[in-house]
Amino acid sequence: MDKNDITILCSVVDNYGDIGVSYRLIRHLLEISPSLKIRLVIDNLKSFSLLNPHVDEKLPFQRVDGFEIYDWKNYQLCYKAFTDRPPHIILECFQCGQPDWLEKILFEDRVCHIVQIIMIDYLSAEPWVDDFHCLKSLTRTALVPKVNFMPGFTSKTGGLLFNKESKYYRTNNEASPKSTDIKKVLFFAYENDWNPAVRAMNRVFNSETRVLVAGGAGQSSIMKACETQHAVFKSERMPYISQIEWDQLMCSTDFMIIRGEDSMAQACQTGIPFIWQAYPQQNDYQTVKMNALLDRMRPHFGEEFSIVEKAWHPVNNGDGDMEEGIYNFILNIDSLRTGFTSFAKSLYANGDLAYNLVTFILKSVKID
């Protein structure tokens, strides 16, 4: 088996999250080991092009920044390329399954060497994640073994992809701004009634405060709320920016309302107080994911943690008063910052997901 040959499968469910994590993983893997031969197979090149301006959404095959990109939907091109050079290690991201042409190569054409599938699952702080990490499962042939590799918040998981723009990745000595100095806010959320959030910010912020409203499905509803509530702060509709610029932006803000999993994972490492909106799911399952993360954060705070809970709950499930929750969160941001900082520092102790993955491959993946 060629342990330098890695194929990454990514099916984009929302606009950014899936490819955001996959692209971040590729960047980290190549930083760790530039000799890796990485092939990304993705079904939405347009979304990828918004995160990396070097990507051409019209090209079914391209080389960008040291790795190859294939259009998942181009059966003929992919089947030939992966038949000529069969995969050795496949990272199947977020339960995306495999394209038909790859199923044929693996299970009908029958490759003659071991192909290790590593399932990179969605990020969750739920306790079961520790038990599923490195758990093996079966496929239709012994030549294609499968194993779970779980991102997470404990030393029993694969950890998180490090936010290398965070000061806590480099040093612990830089002072944080006071709440009275809140000048830059990042607002990145799903579509919702954000009028209560804007009313809360109107009660604290002034004309010197910039609220940067990130692109995506929720941008219009946020901007509409700013208009309806006659926002006293500067609300700015952001253009799409690259992932590297996004990471830098997050670490330069004083307060964030953040959506999804990739941005949440990065926000957790900044030490900057934030409110998380989890991806809305059936039967309000996002509440389970939210509570699990809150439970991981709780030991890093004191009695003031109830302020965090009362801000997060109405944003995710309508439980409570969103305006009062966000207002109190911002008003007490100084006392909350110590807890967010402590939580951020704890995450770096678990190691970078990409480094832990490379270590796992070198130590645990069988060679033919």
Side-chain angles (χ1 to χ4, degrees):
M1 173 182 286
D2 183 356
K3 293 190 177 184
N4 281 325
D5 181 278
I6 297 178
T7 297
I8 298 178
L9 305 179
C10 176
S11 178
V12 179
V13 177
D14 66 13
N15 290 333
Y16 309 104
D18 305 293
I19 182 54
V21 178
S22 299
Y23 177 38
R24 194 182 302 281
L25 176 60
I26 291 170
R27 287 170 49 207
H28 285 217
L29 288 171
L30 289 174
E31 286 175 11
I32 294 167
S33 180
S35 64
L36 290 175
K37 296 172 286 186
I38 295 179
R39 293 183 285 184
L40 171 67
V41 181
I42 180 173
D43 66 353
N44 190 329
L45 287 164
K46 183 176 181 178
S47 289
F48 193 13
S49 69
L50 296 174
L51 299 182
N52 184 337
H54 297 140
V55 174
D56 187 336
E57 64 176 285
K58 297 179 181 178
L59 292 180
F61 168 75
Q62 53 200 298
R63 290 185 178 88
V64 175
D65 299 338
F67 62 98
E68 298 178 355
I69 305 171
Y70 292 83
D71 185 348
W72 177 305
K73 302 172 185 175
N74 195 312
Y75 190 108
Q76 185 174 358
L77 180 149
C78 291
Y79 180 73
K80 183 178 188 309
F82 283 78
T83 298
D84 292 345
R85 191 180 122 210
H88 288 263
I89 295 172
I90 297 174
L91 306 184
E92 189 174 312
C93 296
F94 319 121
Q95 306 174 26
C96 67
Q98 297 148 19
D100 292 342
W101 52 265
L102 185 56
E103 286 273 334
K104 177 172 170 54
I105 292 171
L106 294 180
F107 301 114
E108 295 179 28
D109 299 348
R110 298 276 182 164
V111 292
C112 57
H113 60 258
I114 291 176
V115 180
Q116 176 69 63
I117 296 178
I118 302 176
M119 303 283 291
I120 310 293
D121 215 328
Y122 285 104
L123 174 64
S124 177
E126 295 169 80
W128 61 263
V129 170
D130 290 2
D131 297 328
F132 272 72
H133 183 54
C134 295
L135 189 66
K136 297 178 181 179
S137 58
L138 301 174
T139 69
R140 286 185 272 164
T141 169
L143 284 175
V144 187
K146 185 180 291 189
V147 64
N148 294 319
F149 200 87
M150 308 295 293
F153 296 87
T154 75
S155 60
K156 295 181 180 180
T157 69
L160 302 175
L161 290 166
F162 279 173
N163 185 332
K164 297 182 180 180
E165 299 297 326
S166 170
K167 63 190 175 188
Y168 298 112
Y169 174 70
R170 302 185 302 273
T171 176
N172 295 336
N173 298 322
E174 190 173 341
S176 298
K178 299 296 184 183
S179 60
T180 51
D181 296 327
I182 292 179
K183 299 297 183 184
K184 188 190 292 186
V185 176
L186 179 58
F187 202 153
F188 179 47
Y190 298 110
E191 187 171 356
N192 198 3
D193 176 8
W194 292 113
N195 285 287
V198 174
R199 288 197 297 269
M201 290 189 286
N202 270 345
R203 294 165 63 182
V204 187
F205 300 151
N206 55 43
S207 61
E208 299 299 314
T209 308
R210 296 173 63 201
V211 176
L212 305 177
V213 183
Q219 188 181 56
S220 294
S221 64
I222 299 168
M223 295 302 296
K224 182 179 179 181
C226 291
E227 180 181 351
T228 302
Q229 299 301 320
H230 306 290
V232 300
F233 48 84
K234 298 175 184 176
S235 56
E236 302 178 24
R237 187 186 293 266
M238 282 182 57
Y240 293 106
I241 60 176
S242 71
Q243 188 177 77
I244 294 174
E245 292 173 310
W246 176 257
D247 292 351
Q248 293 169 344
L249 171 64
M250 290 182 69
C251 292
S252 71
T253 60
D254 305 312
F255 164 60
M256 293 179 278
I257 298 177
I258 285 293
R259 79 177 208 191
E261 295 177 1
D262 182 43
S263 291
M264 174 271 283
Q266 299 306 303
C268 283
Q269 300 172 60
T270 66
I272 297 168
F274 70 94
I275 295 171
W276 179 43
Q277 183 191 23
Y279 183 77
Q281 295 180 280
Q282 289 184 343
N283 301 318
D284 283 340
Y285 190 73
Q286 73 274 7
T287 301
V288 175
K289 297 178 76 69
M290 175 197 67
N291 284 329
L293 181 57
L294 288 171
D295 286 343
R296 297 292 184 196
M297 297 169 62
R298 192 184 315 277
H300 299 273
F301 293 77
E303 293 181 359
E304 74 278 4
F305 191 63
S306 63
I307 297 170
V308 178
E309 294 177 299
K310 289 177 180 178
W312 285 33
H313 274 273
V315 167
N316 284 282
N317 58 18
D319 181 14
D321 188 323
M322 185 189 298
E323 179 180 342
E324 288 300 315
I326 295 177
Y327 170 71
N328 285 320
F329 186 100
I330 299 170
L331 205 61
N332 291 279
I333 209 164
D334 280 344
S335 63
L336 296 176
R337 189 173 284 111
T338 300
F340 278 97
T341 297
S342 174
F343 183 54
K345 292 177 181 178
S346 74
L347 298 173
Y348 288 104
N350 298 327
D352 180 70
L353 175 70
Y355 182 85
N356 291 338
L357 178 60
V358 169
T359 301
F360 173 80
I361 290 170
L362 292 176
K363 289 184 177 180
S364 303
V365 172
K366 290 183 179 180
I367 299 177
D368 292 339

